Amino acid sequence: NYLHVVSTMGIDLLGLNRFGSNRGSTHKSLLFSSSTGGSRGGINEEDESLNNAFRIPEEVSTYHDLLSRPTESSVSLRVKALTSKGDAKGAEELLENFKESILSDPDSKELIRLRTYLPIFKLYCESKNVSAALSVFRQMQSTPGVILDPENYVLLLATIAENGFLRNDSPPIEGAIDIGYKHSCGPELFDEIATEMSNEALEITSASARRLYNSLAIGFENKDDSTGHDSLISTLKEVHPLAPMPLTMQPAQRNELVASRVILDRSTGICPVTNAHQRLILLEPEQRKQLHDELLELSREQYANYTRDESKNSGERAAQELRKFADWLDTREGEPYTAIVDGANVAYYMQTFDKGKFNLHQIKFMVDTLESLGEKPLVIIPFKYGSNEFYSSKKELQRLDLIERQIFKEL
């Protein structure tokens, strides 16, 4: 029957890469191409298993879209399947057709999310198709259901940098002006995208910083021998993906490309390398009150959802506890805390191996590092981890040794 045919074919064979194309028209010819099981010539079992990992959800979503209206979830699966085969263009056309179907239906409540766009965007970046990557990124920015992460901006900037489009002597990126950018290449394009990024995020991870650093080193390679008065000079060298970001405190030369870690003067906020004045973000009294009140409301909602208690005042206990914590911060003596450490996340970081545990040594390392940078950290730890023995996230009984107990006391 038709279900059997779909379950033994890929989307491409069915001609379903586009909405409404060849629906059911290939039924007869497909019957002669049906798989009979086992490995096919030239494909070993490992390759077959890998193909099936993408094919099964792809075919389920295809069958769903044959019988009913496509959804964001089904289209997302089909997009992943197409991009896994290297067909970014086909995946983009599929998504655009779905987007048009949503806009043409006033009753549709479907929202396209980041997860649906991301495989297409990543594939364009990996294949060095900078123009297409920039175009898809612009679409992501203008789509209401897409919430961009800082890593998405870093991936775009890294792709542009690696391919040399941030250099002064770079050719323009095709179509950049047409999709709304004021600049199509060079440092000005970096400034434009970085400014957009600053409105979405305040920080990036160390891994993202290294990625961007190495991308600039690749894109500006051999740029240290420029002799022109206005030529950009680069002395950047690639670093190992696990190495720390280079720390620089020496003032940069004129027109030197700067991409490094610095320690800012707390009193001035001036960068010692570029002499640039960093902006100080302060909350007005009304904004602080709004943040306080919204956190209390969020604590009520989260507690009620966690306990599955639908009674009217189910979340009030959580709000009271959070309010007590806020009052303690306001009334305690001593210097104010400048950093908060999420103890459970730090303790369990990279502890998924067989002997992994709630690692207090990792919390101590984080606290010592922050203190060496002049911070005053506050460590937040769930109540159960305050005992000498407790059940870890693996549901195994863990007992603290003498050294771990001492670390806990010092915290």
Side-chain angles (χ1 to χ4, degrees):
N1 56 29
Y2 195 75
L3 173 59
H4 173 70
V5 174
V6 172
S7 68
T8 56
M9 306 280 171
I11 283 181
D12 289 339
L13 291 175
L14 284 172
L16 293 172
N17 283 351
R18 315 290 183 268
F19 286 112
S21 63
N22 302 327
R23 290 196 176 189
S25 63
T26 56
H27 186 189
K28 288 185 179 179
S29 62
L30 285 172
L31 290 175
F32 297 100
S33 303
S34 177
S35 172
T36 58
S39 61
R40 297 191 294 271
I43 302 179
N44 59 37
E45 292 183 3
E46 186 176 350
D47 292 335
E48 187 72 12
S49 298
L50 185 60
N51 289 335
N52 286 338
F54 291 103
R55 182 182 302 164
I56 293 173
E58 168 194 11
E59 291 171 348
V60 170
S61 59
T62 301
Y63 187 64
H64 169 275
D65 293 352
L66 284 168
L67 295 180
S68 57
R69 185 182 297 275
T71 65
E72 191 272 341
S73 296
S74 65
V75 172
S76 179
L77 288 171
R78 293 172 66 185
V79 164
K80 288 179 182 177
L82 287 169
T83 53
S84 71
K85 300 172 185 174
D87 188 6
K89 185 64 177 176
E92 185 179 2
E93 289 180 5
L94 170 68
L95 183 52
E96 284 305 303
N97 286 334
F98 177 59
K99 193 173 183 179
E100 289 176 9
S101 72
I102 294 175
L103 295 175
S104 63
D105 182 3
D107 297 325
S108 177
K109 297 181 180 180
E110 293 285 344
L111 282 176
I112 300 177
R113 301 174 186 172
L114 177 63
R115 66 177 183 180
T116 309
Y117 266 113
L118 207 51
I120 303 172
F121 176 58
K122 285 183 175 179
L123 183 55
Y124 277 138
C125 290
E126 290 168 2
S127 59
K128 301 182 179 182
N129 192 338
V130 180
S131 177
L134 197 62
S135 175
V136 169
F137 188 80
R138 209 49 154 176
Q139 294 173 43
M140 292 161 66
Q141 287 180 304
S142 62
T143 302
V146 174
I147 301 176
L148 292 170
D149 295 325
E151 289 76 14
N152 306 141
Y153 282 94
V154 171
L155 177 56
L156 178 65
L157 287 171
T159 301
I160 295 172
E162 283 177 354
N163 290 277
F165 285 108
L166 294 182
R167 297 167 64 124
N168 285 326
D169 56 357
S170 163
I173 298 174
E174 184 179 351
I177 302 298
D178 298 335
I179 58 176
Y181 285 98
K182 296 179 181 178
H183 306 91
S184 58
C185 62
E188 295 81 8
L189 179 61
F190 177 90
D191 290 343
E192 191 172 348
I193 297 174
T195 300
E196 292 178 352
M197 179 180 172
S198 68
N199 294 326
E200 299 280 347
L202 296 177
E203 62 181 358
I204 61 175
T205 64
S206 57
S208 293
R210 283 192 296 272
R211 172 73 201 282
L212 191 53
Y213 178 91
N214 283 337
S215 299
L216 290 168
I218 294 170
F220 283 87
E221 191 176 6
N222 300 324
K223 256 303 209 175
D224 57 346
D225 54 354
S226 301
T227 56
H229 182 68
D230 293 323
S231 296
L232 195 62
I233 301 171
S234 172
T235 58
L236 303 181
K237 303 295 181 185
E238 285 187 74
V239 298
H240 190 278
L242 297 179
M245 276 288 293
L247 175 64
T248 304
M249 298 298 289
Q250 296 297 321
Q253 303 178 41
R254 174 180 173 82
N255 292 331
E256 179 183 352
L257 176 65
V258 177
S260 61
R261 184 165 55 93
V262 300
I263 298 178
L264 292 177
D265 187 320
R266 283 182 173 275
S267 60
T268 64
I270 295 177
C271 173
V273 179
T274 63
N275 207 37
H277 196 175
Q278 306 303 302
R279 61 175 178 166
L280 179 63
I281 302 176
L282 294 174
L283 294 180
E284 299 296 332
E286 277 300 314
Q287 292 175 316
R288 295 175 63 185
K289 183 179 184 304
Q290 180 183 355
L291 178 62
H292 174 273
D293 294 344
E294 289 183 358
L295 281 174
L296 289 177
E297 183 58 33
L298 182 61
S299 70
R300 294 187 183 97
E301 294 176 3
Q302 293 289 333
Y303 185 81
N305 291 336
Y306 180 75
T307 58
R308 299 183 181 178
D309 186 346
E310 298 180 0
S311 59
K312 184 177 180 180
N313 298 319
S314 62
E316 196 55 39
R317 178 187 171 190
Q320 289 175 356
E321 291 296 323
L322 185 58
R323 194 179 291 111
K324 283 166 56 179
F325 176 67
D327 292 341
W328 174 77
L329 286 175
D330 287 338
T331 58
R332 61 174 288 275
E333 297 180 356
E335 297 180 21
Y337 293 111
T338 61
I340 297 178
V341 177
D342 184 347
N345 269 327
V346 173
Y348 279 124
Y349 180 68
M350 299 291 285
Q351 293 293 313
T352 55
F353 57 92
D354 185 44
K355 298 295 183 181
K357 62 177 183 177
F358 185 85
N359 196 324
L360 279 161
H361 295 274
Q362 294 183 173
I363 299 179
K364 177 173 171 43
F365 176 79
M366 177 63 72
V367 170
D368 290 345
T369 301
L370 288 170
E371 288 179 343
S372 69
L373 296 173
E375 303 288 352
K376 185 171 179 56
L378 169 65
V379 181
I380 305 294
I381 296 179
F383 180 78
K384 76 170 187 177
Y385 297 116
S387 305
N388 290 334
E389 59 179 44
F390 48 82
Y391 282 94
S392 68
S393 61
K394 296 181 178 181
K395 304 190 185 306
E396 297 174 350
L397 183 62
Q398 178 177 336
R399 293 184 174 88
L400 301 183
D401 59 31
L402 291 176
I403 297 177
E404 290 172 328
R405 293 177 189 177
Q406 184 61 34
I407 291 174
F408 193 87
K409 289 180 180 179
E410 292 175 358
L411 293 176

